[in-house]
Amino acid sequence: MVSSPSPSPDGGKDSNLMRRILVLGFWVQGFRCLPWMAINFFVKDGLNVDPSTLQLLQNSANLPMVGKPLYGVVSDAVYISGQHRIPYIAIGAFLQAVSWLAIAILSPSGISIFTLSLCLLLSNLGASIAEVANDAIVAGIGKQPTMSPKTSQSSSSGELQSFVWIASSAGGVLGNLLGGIAINRYAPQAIFLIFSLTVALQLFVTITVHESSLNLPKSSSGVGIRKQLSELSVALRKPEIAYSIAWLAASNAIIPALTGTMFFYQTQYLNINSSVLGISKVFGQAAMLLWSIIYNCYLKSVPSKKLIAAIQGVMAVFMLSDLLFVKGVYRNMGVPDSLYVIVFSGLLEVLFFFKILPFNILIAQLCPSGCEGSLMALVASANALSFIVSGYLGVALSSFVGVTGSDFSGFPQALLIQAVCTLLPIYWSSCIPDDKQAKTNTKNE
């Protein structure tokens, strides 16, 4: 049971402080691409691994993200000094700062794959805890009734989701831009140190704020973990929620990810400069930023089911375009490889996340009061698990077609299989409920 705080004279000030906390949290979340870009080059060039090992490391490091429902249940039920959001953001920032600092100060010759994996797991554990708390704040605020009779609850939720999406995209743009420039000029350890200091700054800013000053909706006292799990179980027994989450997870998991193979193809076979990859990622993040603005201004009235299915179809088209790219069709047409990588590769990398914005807004409308953190964490967990499965399928597919660090002859065949798999989820998009049904359920809460 969630009670909405009564309006106070300082409501505007509370709202501004809450937005600043969310901006910082989601901006850092987007800025995490800075050290991860450096990790890719560090593992490829410093540890001399093959594409399959790189992709296994990338996906295995995301395993802590699967535990998000547990973190969500704990943050909903367990208060620390009377707070259940801000302390978890601080804990997450601390774990990230420590892990990246450890990677930065360790001797390059003394870092093994095992040690690096442990540090990356710790970093992603911290990131997932912080993300759960931030997502719960957004979901909780979105469930509050608006003061203005002209503003619908779903519109308010959508605006806040778009707002934090913009903050995350802005962090991604800056992180990728700095990464593309810094990789050729500085050692990877210097980039890891910069991010560690950035997260440490977030930690210090966060611990100076008390949650009571944010005017957040508060759960009833005495709600334990068992009660929270019970409420989450009730939410998942709603077909519209369970089927939607299942569709999102399946729509990602069924696609064999070939990111590690494509990274090696671009850098090892085509000798694409790291600055070009950085610009490509900046282009992708800028596209995400533009997408959030376009969605907020023009697409909120479009049914989520149609929008999400359309995005899935566009993803398949871009994968077929990658097939033509690897076959050299665009090169024969006079299109430079670097231009294709910047525009199309940058867009394809973020297209996977385009459907998450309308999906999160839909789930926030369906979410019962009192388990926002738990349910949004479960969505994030299902998403993370699906990407891990997708990555492992990609490793298996690359091995099946015979792709190695020096032989990419089977790569076009892998890309064709990937595109076909991307189209399949469109046929069961009926699992996603209509927006009218979501709004009806929200009114009945």
Side-chain angles (χ1 to χ4, degrees):
M1 186 75 182
V2 172
S3 59
S4 301
S6 58
S8 67
D10 297 327
K13 188 180 297 184
D14 295 338
S15 177
N16 289 335
L17 180 58
M18 180 269 295
R19 283 178 175 264
R20 283 198 290 269
I21 292 295
L22 288 176
V23 164
L24 180 60
F26 280 89
W27 182 89
V28 169
Q29 184 176 323
F31 195 64
R32 289 178 65 232
C33 62
L34 172 65
W36 277 99
M37 180 186 290
I39 280 289
N40 288 337
F41 283 94
F42 177 71
V43 172
K44 181 179 81 75
D45 300 327
L47 302 182
N48 299 314
V49 302
D50 56 37
S52 296
T53 303
L54 172 61
Q55 190 156 321
L56 281 172
L57 178 64
Q58 290 172 333
N59 290 279
S60 298
N62 287 326
L63 285 172
M65 299 289 183
V66 180
K68 279 188 172 183
L70 174 62
Y71 318 145
V73 169
V74 172
S75 68
D76 280 341
V78 179
Y79 283 67
I80 301 175
S81 300
Q83 308 172 84
H84 70 146
R85 301 301 182 212
I86 293 297
Y88 292 98
I89 297 176
I91 291 171
F94 174 77
L95 292 177
Q96 290 181 82
V98 169
S99 59
W100 286 109
L101 180 62
I103 300 175
I105 62 178
L106 287 174
S107 170
S109 59
I111 298 180
S112 65
I113 285 288
F114 178 74
T115 303
L116 183 62
S117 298
L118 287 180
C119 291
L120 294 178
L121 286 168
L122 182 64
S123 169
N124 277 343
L125 174 62
S128 58
I129 292 173
E131 287 173 15
V132 164
N134 282 319
D135 288 340
I137 293 176
V138 173
I141 294 297
K143 297 289 289 184
Q144 289 182 260
T146 59
M147 294 293 101
S148 171
K150 298 182 179 180
T151 305
S152 68
Q153 183 180 352
S154 61
S155 175
S156 174
S157 175
E159 288 176 2
L160 188 56
Q161 288 277 2
S162 298
F163 175 77
V164 297
W165 186 281
I166 290 172
S168 177
S169 298
V173 168
L174 181 60
N176 284 311
L177 184 61
L178 290 178
I181 297 173
I183 285 173
N184 286 331
R185 300 185 180 184
Y186 304 101
Q189 279 77 7
I191 298 175
F192 304 149
L193 179 60
I194 290 173
F195 183 74
S196 176
L197 294 176
T198 302
V199 185
L201 177 61
Q202 181 195 16
L203 170 62
F204 290 126
V205 170
T206 302
I207 61 178
T208 61
V209 176
H210 196 276
E211 199 166 300
S212 59
S213 64
L214 301 180
N215 203 30
L216 299 177
K218 298 180 180 179
S219 302
S220 302
S221 58
V223 178
I225 292 180
R226 183 174 298 179
K227 174 65 175 176
Q228 201 64 50
L229 286 172
S230 176
E231 291 182 355
L232 178 60
S233 176
V234 170
L236 290 177
R237 281 198 286 267
K238 294 186 175 183
E240 62 272 16
I241 292 179
Y243 292 166
S244 297
I245 296 175
W247 184 91
L248 178 68
S251 70
N252 293 326
I254 199 174
I255 305 171
L258 300 169
T259 51
T261 304
M262 182 59 79
F263 177 78
F264 264 77
Y265 177 77
Q266 293 173 349
T267 58
Q268 195 94 341
Y269 186 78
L270 299 180
N271 294 316
I272 298 291
N273 192 275
S274 62
S275 61
V276 173
L277 295 183
I279 295 173
S280 170
K281 292 180 180 294
V282 169
F283 188 87
Q285 291 292 336
M288 286 183 66
L289 185 61
L290 182 61
W291 164 247
S292 62
I293 296 172
I294 292 174
Y295 177 83
N296 194 44
C297 295
Y298 305 108
L299 299 178
K300 284 191 296 184
S301 60
V302 177
S304 299
K305 181 191 297 186
K306 291 183 179 180
L307 190 58
I308 293 171
I311 293 171
Q312 192 79 14
V314 172
M315 287 165 51
V317 172
F318 270 70
M319 290 172 184
L320 288 174
S321 179
D322 269 358
L323 170 61
L324 298 179
F325 168 64
V326 172
K327 297 280 284 185
V329 174
Y330 296 121
R331 193 178 307 118
N332 295 335
M333 294 171 58
V335 179
D337 291 336
S338 57
L339 179 61
Y340 181 90
V341 169
I342 290 174
V343 178
F344 287 89
S345 295
L347 280 175
L348 178 58
E349 188 170 329
V350 298
L351 268 175
F352 283 89
F353 302 100
F354 272 32
K355 60 186 176 184
I356 293 178
L357 177 57
F359 187 88
N360 279 352
I361 292 172
L362 179 65
I363 289 295
Q365 294 173 17
L366 294 169
C367 179
S369 297
C371 64
E372 293 89 351
S374 306
L375 186 59
M376 296 306 291
L378 180 64
V379 172
S381 172
N383 212 29
L385 180 59
S386 67
F387 280 122
I388 291 173
V389 173
S390 170
Y392 290 158
L393 284 179
V395 172
L397 178 59
S398 295
S399 299
F400 176 74
V401 298
V403 173
T404 66
S406 56
D407 182 8
F408 296 92
S409 57
F411 198 20
Q413 182 184 354
L415 289 169
L416 179 60
I417 295 173
Q418 183 188 49
V420 172
C421 291
T422 305
L423 287 172
L424 295 179
I426 298 177
Y427 292 100
W428 64 79
S429 61
S430 57
C431 294
I432 306 172
D434 295 324
D435 288 22
K436 290 181 180 179
Q437 181 181 357
K439 291 177 182 177
T440 301
N441 290 343
T442 301
K443 290 179 181 178
N444 292 333
E445 286 290 327

